[in-house]
Amino acid sequence: MKPGAVASGTLESLISALLRGGISISLALIVAGTAVSFIHHPDYASSVAALARLTRPGMAPHDLREVAAGIAGFRGQALVMLGLLVLMATPVVRVATSLVVFARSRDRAFVLLTSTVLVLLLLSLALGRAGG
């Protein structure tokens, strides 16, 4: 292994832990948010009309401010949305972590490649946000 190279097992273990953790946290938030929604509105389980209100477009929080306000108000939809945001952020954090590891090991080729992937991911998030 060349000087500064990353031990492949170490990076794989770190990435694996990040992905498992992100998915686990996401799943927990989505399940908790669903449970909170059904606890606050037990009619969702028995009424198609009530459930249609929950799934109607525009009912979920649309930005981080609304998610934070919903969490403060203990709204299930906000917890579900936070879980989805964590799920979307997980691969971005994975790429950013890889970039840091490669930079610390002075692996220029992988720093360049990983930086490009990270920029493309962030650009797609920014363009998606701008598109509404």
Side-chain angles (χ1 to χ4, degrees), residues 26-128:
S26 174
L27 178 63
L29 287 166
I30 291 170
V31 168
T34 302
V36 166
S37 290
F38 278 82
I39 289 168
H40 285 168
H41 303 281
D43 57 326
Y44 288 165
S46 59
S47 168
V48 173
L51 188 59
R53 280 194 327 265
L54 173 68
T55 58
R56 186 174 66 226
M59 291 300 294
H62 288 90
D63 59 34
L64 292 176
R65 231 176 286 118
E66 288 180 17
V67 171
I71 290 170
F74 202 58
R75 291 190 56 229
Q77 290 170 318
L79 285 170
V80 169
M81 187 59 69
L82 181 60
L84 293 173
L85 290 170
V86 168
L87 185 63
M88 291 182 345
T90 298
V92 177
V93 171
R94 179 244 190 263
V95 172
T97 301
S98 296
L99 177 61
V100 169
V101 170
F102 292 137
R104 293 178 106 197
S105 67
R106 292 183 168 79
D107 190 335
R108 290 186 182 140
F110 279 106
V111 167
L112 179 62
L113 183 65
T114 308
S115 296
T116 302
V117 171
L118 185 59
V119 166
L120 290 172
L121 281 171
L122 295 175
L123 184 62
S124 69
L125 288 174
L127 291 175

